[in-house]
Amino acid sequence: MQVRPEKKEDFQAIEQVIMAAFENEEMSDQTEHQLVRRLRNSDAYVPELSIVAVEKGEIIGHLMLTKVTIGENDSLRSLALAPVSVYPSYQNQGIGKALIEHALKKSGEKDYESVIVLGHPGYYSRFGFQPASQYGIVPPFEVPDEAFMAFELKRSALTKVFGTVHYSNEFFKQS
């Protein structure tokens, strides 16, 4: 399996993977593919941090990281991890794990300092994500505390940061 940044010619296949991955998800409105499309056209988009997993020339997974700010501190270089998608027949085979590990490594190399995610605590805690509330960081919407998590790419990056995470407006629009 190869993990690499997405290319424009991948976009249609990525949409198919995202739609299939979220089709039966209870906590989804099945519009994640539209969110990805909107984010690609925003200032929050970081092309080299929107990555795909490829097996035998076929895109089987996708992950996107986009820029966010936390509180009033816009000097902290932080990212939101959303969404992570793996084609259903390839799930539970370590593809999501490979995408996340690659994304966190590349984010640190690009001098980002932290990553925020809204997701399953049992899953994301394996990568070192902690409840964001431990840092005084809160979401801009109502979610369970344990599901809103943060990860420090640089040691102590979040010790002097607190407040609400400000996502790109594209997260709140409808296509």
Side-chain angles (χ1 to χ4, degrees):
M1 179 183 66
Q2 176 191 17
V3 177
R4 61 163 173 80
E6 69 179 17
K7 301 174 189 171
K8 191 170 186 150
E9 56 267 22
D10 298 330
F11 290 178
Q12 187 174 2
I14 290 168
E15 278 202 13
Q16 296 302 312
V17 168
I18 296 169
M19 289 188 311
F22 285 95
E23 184 175 36
N24 296 315
E25 278 297 314
E26 186 179 313
M27 300 298 270
S28 168
D29 63 2
Q30 283 74 45
T31 62
E32 289 81 4
H33 64 290
Q34 295 170 2
L35 171 62
V36 167
R37 192 181 316 136
R38 289 191 307 269
L39 287 168
R40 282 191 190 113
N41 294 309
S42 76
D43 291 340
Y45 181 53
V46 184
E48 53 277 13
L49 296 179
S50 187
I51 59 176
V52 294
V54 182
E55 180 77 31
K56 298 178 185 163
E58 178 186 353
I59 293 175
I60 58 172
H62 175 261
L63 173 150
M64 180 177 262
L65 287 156
T66 52
K67 297 176 203 170
V68 294
T69 58
I70 301 173
E72 303 307 313
N73 185 344
D74 59 2
S75 64
L76 178 78
R77 292 176 42 90
S78 194
L79 299 162
L81 172 57
V84 178
S85 311
V86 176
Y87 198 76
S89 61
Y90 288 93
Q91 290 177 0
N92 300 310
Q93 297 178 31
I95 294 159
K97 178 180 187 253
L99 285 167
I100 293 167
E101 288 175 346
H102 181 86
L104 293 176
K105 181 176 182 275
K106 290 296 179 189
S107 299
E109 289 171 2
K110 294 193 67 55
D111 287 330
Y112 285 95
E113 298 170 87
S114 69
V115 177
I116 301 294
V117 69
L118 172 61
H120 299 287
Y123 183 72
Y124 288 100
S125 64
R126 296 185 222 167
F127 302 98
F129 282 88
Q130 305 278 329
S133 61
Q134 290 181 1
Y135 301 101
I137 297 169
V138 296
F141 36 71
E142 189 85 18
V143 295
D145 181 63
E146 66 276 4
F148 192 70
M149 295 167 277
F151 178 81
E152 290 181 315
L153 293 163
K154 299 211 180 331
R155 184 180 297 234
S156 302
L158 297 174
T159 56
K160 295 182 181 172
V161 177
F162 59 90
T164 302
V165 173
H166 302 283
Y167 288 87
S168 167
N169 288 334
E170 283 69 21
F171 274 92
F172 304 101
K173 295 179 183 174
Q174 297 297 317
S175 290

